[in-house]
Structures are given as C-alpha cells and as structure tokens.
Amino acid sequence: MNSTDFRNLARTISRLEDNHRETVSRIIQLPLDRPQCHIIGITGPPGAGKSTLCNQLLSQLSEKGKVAILMVDPASPFSGGAILGDRIRLNHLAQHPGIYARSLSNRGNPGGVSRWVVTILRLLMDKGFDYLVVETVGAGQSEVKIASIADTTVVVAVPQLGDDIQTAKAGMMEIADIFVVNKADLPGSEKTANMLREVAMDSSGQWKPPVCQTVATSGEGCQQLVEEISSHHTYLVDNNLLEQKRRNAARFELVEMSSWLLHRQLEELLGERQGQLLVSGQVDLYSRLEKAYEAFINSLSEVSD
Ligand SMILES: Nc1nc2c(ncn2[C@@H]2O[C@H](COP(=O)(O)OP(=O)(O)O)[C@@H](O)[C@H]2O)c(=O)[nH]1
Ligand SMILES: [Mg+2]
C-alpha cells in the first residue's frame, strides 16, 4: 500500500465512524473469514503499558507481514489523559511504511470498543493486512467485549505488591488467551506471574493461557510474546476454532449495529402518534418486536439459498 491507499483507507474509516450509510453497507459485505489473518486484542488497565507493548509488537510483527493497529480512544467525557500519549505514539508509528495505525473514537460507547470496530476489521482484512491489533482503552469490566472480537485476547497486568490478584478483575482473567505481566523490571513481577499461572491452570479449555513477562520500554520478553500469539493462532486453526471466533465477532457487530439502528430509528422516526400508542399501552410491543426480528433472521437464510 502506498500513501494514497493509506489516505483512502483513512477516509473510508472516517465515513464508517460517521455512520455513512453506503459505506457501511458496502464494507459490511466484505468477508471476515480470512484464516491467515490474525485479530489480536490487547486489553488491561490504563497505564499498564499496552500502547508501549503494542509498539514493540508492531515492529516485530511487521517483519512477518502487513500490520494494522486500531486504538480505541477514551474519547468519552470522563477521561482523556491517555489520548495525547497515544497520539504521539501513533505519529511515531505512522512513519513506518508497513504499519497502518488508527485511533478510533469510543464515542461514549461504554463497551470500550467503538461501534464499527468489526466492520473496520473487515475492511482491513480485505486490504490484505495479516495482523490486526486492537488496543482497547482499558476502562474496567466492560473491556471483556474485546474477547468477542479478537481471535486472541492478550490481557496485560502489572506487578502487584499485595497478595490479591483479584484487583485485576475477575472478568479480565476469564477472557485471557495470553497473560502478560508488563513492567517486569518492577518488584513483584515473578510473584504476579506465578499467581496468573495458577489462574491459567484452572482454565477449563484445552488451551492453557501462557504467562509472559515483558518490559515494554526495552522490548525484553516481547519476542516470546509474539511467539505465544502465533502459537495461539495455530492452535485455533488446527482445532477449527477460528471460524467460531469470527462468528462471535460477526454476531457482536450485528448486535452493535442493531442497537445503534434501533436508537436512531426510535429517535428519528418515532412520531407523536406512535409515541402516544406506546404510552397508552395498547400495543403488544414484545410480540411485534419478536416478529420483526424473526422476519430479519428468516431473510438471512434466504440469502444463502
Ligand atoms: N517501568 C516500566 N514502565 C513502563 C513499561 N511499559 C510501559 N511503561 C510506562 O508506563 C506508562 C504507561 O504506558 P502506556 O503504554 O501509555 O500504557 P497504556 O495506558 O496501558 O497504554 C508510560 O509512562 C510507559 O513509559 C515497562 O515495562 N516498565
Ligand atoms: Mg494506551
């Protein structure tokens, strides 16, 4: 891709973010099932070093293929401190010809991932990227949404001085395919890694999440992380689990799109007369909605006929 391609890509993504109808319709018809492409989600609390770690990952992955990174911006009114730092890093990445970096606005979406993120992944997959990295804002429990999108979810923790790893939030533990204890240069790293290893042993699946220790600022341990990420992809492909991951992502996209559409329709189209009916309680709303969704699902099966 040359700089014109990159500019076009940026423009298309902006249109998606602005809910440009034709753009959404076109992109959403692109396949999400390229198995050689790897969607990698990076999550963890703010300040854990996710962005710094992504920088390391990107430069290593870019030696193996075409890489894109989406950073979901904390553009909500509640925060904003991290944006500037991420912007600076983004600019730094943008110098690299093989890497496409894009910051996405979170637009107050409490899930921590912007509404069109899966749709954007379709676009990037279509453009031939091999590695799609999604760094989320890391704002708590709701971050588990990343696990519905990514093939491989990397949960970044930092050394804890106390005994209680639970501070790292139960939900985050369950979604991890790979654990990272970043800032391994700080005291307590080994202890935290051991606690995470115990958590990983308890995981019910066939895949036991490995625990990597990294120093993102120097790059120490990052090569091992890249190897674990590749192993997980291989595991998914070999066990026919990748398709299931992509189905989850597509379902997530559909739910996000539906709820957004619904909001818009209700705001724009719900007139006085219909509003009156809703208030008066004369309509069986539940059955009507159920019927509408049924019709939608049935229309999907017609597509494949
Ligand atoms: N000591 C130490 N500091 C780190 C390491 N990785 C990142 N940092 C610092 O931690 C701060 C937060 O990093 P950042 O990547 O913005 O975290 P994010 O909010 O998770 O994206 C920055 O000041 C980094 O320089 C590390 O491995 N060791
Ligand atoms: Mg960050």
Side-chain angles (χ1 to χ4, degrees):
M1 285 177 85
N2 58 34
S3 57
T4 315
D5 295 328
F6 271 51
R7 266 201 304 279
N8 286 337
L9 189 55
R11 198 169 308 136
T12 309
I13 293 177
S14 296
R15 289 213 185 105
L16 280 176
E17 285 195 297
D18 291 339
N19 310 313
H20 186 267
R21 176 191 289 244
E22 283 81 59
T23 310
V24 176
S25 298
R26 180 166 59 86
I27 306 301
I28 214 147
Q29 293 183 55
L30 296 172
L32 191 63
D33 57 6
R34 242 184 74 215
Q36 61 275 39
C37 181
H38 192 184
I39 305 173
I40 304 156
I42 313 282
T43 190
K50 297 182 295 298
S51 298
T52 317
L53 199 60
C54 281
N55 250 338
Q56 297 285 354
L57 287 183
L58 295 177
S59 61
Q60 297 209 16
L61 291 173
S62 65
E63 284 169 21
K64 309 206 286 174
K66 273 173 73 180
V67 193
I69 176 161
L70 300 176
M71 292 166 160
V72 183
D73 235 16
S76 70
F78 312 113
S79 68
I83 302 179
L84 188 61
D86 282 351
R87 282 272 149 73
I88 292 166
R89 272 185 283 270
L90 271 178
N91 286 340
H92 166 75
L93 287 172
Q95 314 287 318
H96 197 295
I99 298 175
Y100 180 75
R102 169 82 182 204
S103 185
L104 297 180
S105 156
N106 198 25
R107 306 247 160 138
N109 184 338
V113 248
S114 114
R115 181 186 308 131
W116 298 120
V117 77
V118 178
T119 317
I120 295 168
L121 293 174
R122 288 183 191 271
L123 173 66
L124 295 169
M125 220 175 262
D126 183 65
K127 297 292 177 200
F129 285 94
D130 303 293
Y131 299 97
L132 304 176
V133 180
V134 182
E135 182 199 335
T136 65
V137 19
Q141 199 76 34
S142 53
E143 283 306 285
V144 294
K145 278 192 176 183
I146 188 65
S148 312
I149 292 173
D151 303 331
T152 301
T153 301
V154 178
V155 171
V156 183
V158 288
Q160 311 252 324
L161 295 175
D163 285 329
D164 191 9
I165 194 79
Q166 287 314 317
T167 50
K169 293 185 204 89
M172 296 275 240
M173 300 285 151
E174 283 150 26
I175 61 169
D177 297 307
I178 296 169
F179 285 111
V180 171
V181 181
N182 186 43
K183 307 199 182 182
D185 52 321
L186 301 183
S189 167
E190 195 58 49
K191 191 174 170 188
T192 306
N194 284 333
M195 282 193 266
L196 288 173
R197 280 188 195 105
E198 278 174 37
V199 173
M201 291 242 287
D202 287 343
S203 87
S204 53
Q206 203 189 332
W207 173 265
K208 301 291 174 207
V211 180
C212 300
Q213 286 172 266
T214 59
V215 182
T217 38
S218 72
E220 206 183 313
C222 292
Q223 196 177 343
Q224 193 216 336
L225 175 58
V226 169
E227 283 162 19
E228 299 291 6
I229 289 174
S230 299
S231 304
H232 188 249
H233 185 248
T234 308
Y235 163 79
L236 292 175
V237 172
D238 289 353
N239 292 280
N240 295 320
L241 294 168
L242 196 70
E243 291 162 33
Q244 192 185 317
K245 293 276 182 185
R246 301 294 166 84
R247 272 202 299 276
N248 288 344
R251 197 179 297 139
F252 176 88
E253 178 187 44
L254 183 60
V255 170
E256 290 288 303
M257 191 172 58
S258 311
S259 67
W260 175 73
L261 263 177
L262 198 61
H263 269 280
R264 203 195 58 178
Q265 301 283 64
L266 290 180
E267 260 169 39
E268 288 180 7
L269 301 177
L270 194 67
E272 210 172 307
R273 160 123 185 82
Q274 292 103 326
Q276 196 76 50
L277 271 173
L278 295 191
V279 174
S280 70
Q282 291 170 33
V283 218
D284 182 356
L285 292 174
Y286 186 86
S287 306
R288 275 172 188 262
L289 275 178
E290 206 176 36
K291 242 186 237 156
Y293 284 124
E294 245 173 55
F296 165 69
I297 300 289
N298 288 341
S299 78
L300 284 183
S301 36
E302 280 159 23
V303 175
S304 55
D305 290 345

